[in-house]
Amino acid sequence: MRTFGLIGYPLSHSFSKKFFTEKFEKEGIAEHKYELFPIENIAAVISLIAADNSLSGLNVTIPHKVGVMPYLNELDAAAEKIGAVNCISIKHKDGQSILKGYNTDAFGFQESLKPFLKAHHTHALILGDGGAAKAVKYVLDQLNISYLSVVRTAAPDAILYADLTQELIDKHQVIINTTPLGTFPNVEAAPDIPYHWLKPQHLAYDLVYNPEETEFLKRARAQGAAVKNGYEMLELQAERSWVIWNA
């Protein structure tokens, strides 16, 4: 038996559990299971792993993607540069558990974004500057797309939503929502940007996947922009986790 799971708090809804449970059933891997581990204090991850030798890998979600890092033995180069972990491989050897952290969000975001990019997509606006934005920034750096963060309260290297001008919207033709605004059940919420300045040359990408089309994407599509939600990113990061756990 090999056990995998998701740590975070709270865990009222989990894409990962549904994805991996269905994957194991479809591929006939009856000896594997995927569980939810809602832990409020990240320090509990050590006792969680110590209590179960079948535990072979964990996904990490809000609010522990940064806080889990000091508890790991090793970091993948990308995770170290991003400064956030959403996947942990667990190797049990000689009575010890070796934990290595990865960031598969970056892989999922990059692979789902690339097919939508056009030659004129050279500048991006990142809406929000929380943990999810870390992987987005890393990917944009890899793709040589310059970016500007947009936030609600003043922060270094970022501008406020109120500072968005038509010139900035015209220049930054990729707009990425990394905030939870618009997530079910608050489906009428959307980042406060001047949507009327968007054009068909724009690409709007929302990390939110529930609902399938958020208010952010609806408003962008109404202006003729290309739109993409975060569901494929989730699938890709999950599959990448599976590759890591079986390496």
Side-chain angles (χ1 to χ4, degrees), residues 102-124:
Y102 299 82
N103 192 301
T104 64
D105 283 336
F107 174 83
F109 176 63
Q110 181 164 330
E111 293 304 305
S112 62
L113 175 70
K114 284 195 299 187
F116 288 82
L117 293 176
K118 308 294 185 187
H120 61 273
H121 289 144
T122 56
H123 294 75

Side-chain angles (χ1 to χ4, degrees), residues 3-14 16-17 34-49 55 58-64:
T3 303
F4 305 90
L6 175 70
I7 59 172
Y9 192 85
L11 294 178
S12 55
H13 174 267
S14 168
S16 299
K17 182 173 174 62
Y34 193 100
E35 303 288 354
L36 298 182
F37 301 108
I39 56 175
E40 190 169 3
N41 186 335
I42 188 55
V45 71
I46 299 303
S47 55
L48 173 71
I49 293 167
L55 203 52
L58 290 170
N59 289 123
V60 185
T61 190
I62 294 168
H64 299 319

Side-chain angles (χ1 to χ4, degrees), residues 85-106:
V85 161
N86 78 310
C87 174
I88 302 170
S89 72
I90 306 170
K91 306 288 186 185
H92 301 283
K93 187 177 181 181
D94 300 327
Q96 290 187 317
S97 299
I98 309 301
L99 313 180
K100 184 172 181 179
Y102 299 82
N103 192 301
T104 64
D105 283 336

Side-chain angles (χ1 to χ4, degrees), residues 62-80:
I62 294 168
H64 299 319
K65 290 186 180 185
V66 176
V68 75
M69 295 171 68
Y71 297 91
L72 307 178
N73 302 99
E74 196 178 346
L75 287 175
D76 167 73
E80 186 168 16

Side-chain angles (χ1 to χ4, degrees), residues 17-227:
K17 182 173 174 62
K18 181 176 185 291
F19 178 88
F20 281 108
T21 299
E22 290 178 355
K23 178 181 177 68
F24 296 157
E25 290 175 356
K26 185 171 61 178
E27 299 183 10
I29 314 174
E31 68 278 12
H32 290 6
K33 62 179 181 177
Y34 193 100
E35 303 288 354
L36 298 182
F37 301 108
I39 56 175
E40 190 169 3
N41 186 335
I42 188 55
V45 71
I46 299 303
S47 55
L48 173 71
I49 293 167
D52 188 353
N53 279 337
S54 76
L55 203 52
S56 303
L58 290 170
N59 289 123
V60 185
T61 190
I62 294 168
H64 299 319
K65 290 186 180 185
V66 176
V68 75
M69 295 171 68
Y71 297 91
L72 307 178
N73 302 99
E74 196 178 346
L75 287 175
D76 167 73
E80 186 168 16
K81 187 166 184 179
I82 292 166
V85 161
N86 78 310
C87 174
I88 302 170
S89 72
I90 306 170
K91 306 288 186 185
H92 301 283
K93 187 177 181 181
D94 300 327
Q96 290 187 317
S97 299
I98 309 301
L99 313 180
K100 184 172 181 179
Y102 299 82
N103 192 301
T104 64
D105 283 336
F107 174 83
F109 176 63
Q110 181 164 330
E111 293 304 305
S112 62
L113 175 70
K114 284 195 299 187
F116 288 82
L117 293 176
K118 308 294 185 187
H120 61 273
H121 289 144
T122 56
H123 294 75
L125 291 177
I126 303 174
L127 310 182
D129 200 26
K134 292 179 181 290
V136 168
K137 290 178 181 180
Y138 173 83
V139 169
L140 295 180
D141 282 336
Q142 298 294 108
L143 297 174
N144 294 315
I145 297 174
S146 64
Y147 56 81
L148 182 60
S149 295
V150 187
V151 296
R152 288 183 298 175
T153 55
D157 303 317
I159 66 167
L160 298 173
Y161 283 90
D163 296 331
L164 285 171
T165 63
Q166 184 170 1
E167 183 180 4
L168 283 173
I169 295 293
D170 286 344
K171 180 179 181 180
H172 297 81
Q173 296 190 342
V174 179
I175 303 179
I176 304 153
N177 177 38
T178 71
T179 78
L181 285 170
T183 305
F184 181 85
N186 301 314
V187 296
E188 294 180 1
D192 187 17
I193 67 169
Y195 293 91
H196 58 283
W197 287 331
L198 269 59
K199 297 181 175 63
Q201 291 80 11
H202 280 89
L203 165 63
Y205 189 115
D206 200 335
L207 268 60
V208 174
Y209 67 95
N210 182 24
E212 183 175 337
E213 187 174 62
T214 59
E215 185 65 23
F216 167 70
L217 294 183
K218 283 181 185 175
R219 296 182 189 182
R221 184 169 56 82
Q223 298 301 122
V227 298

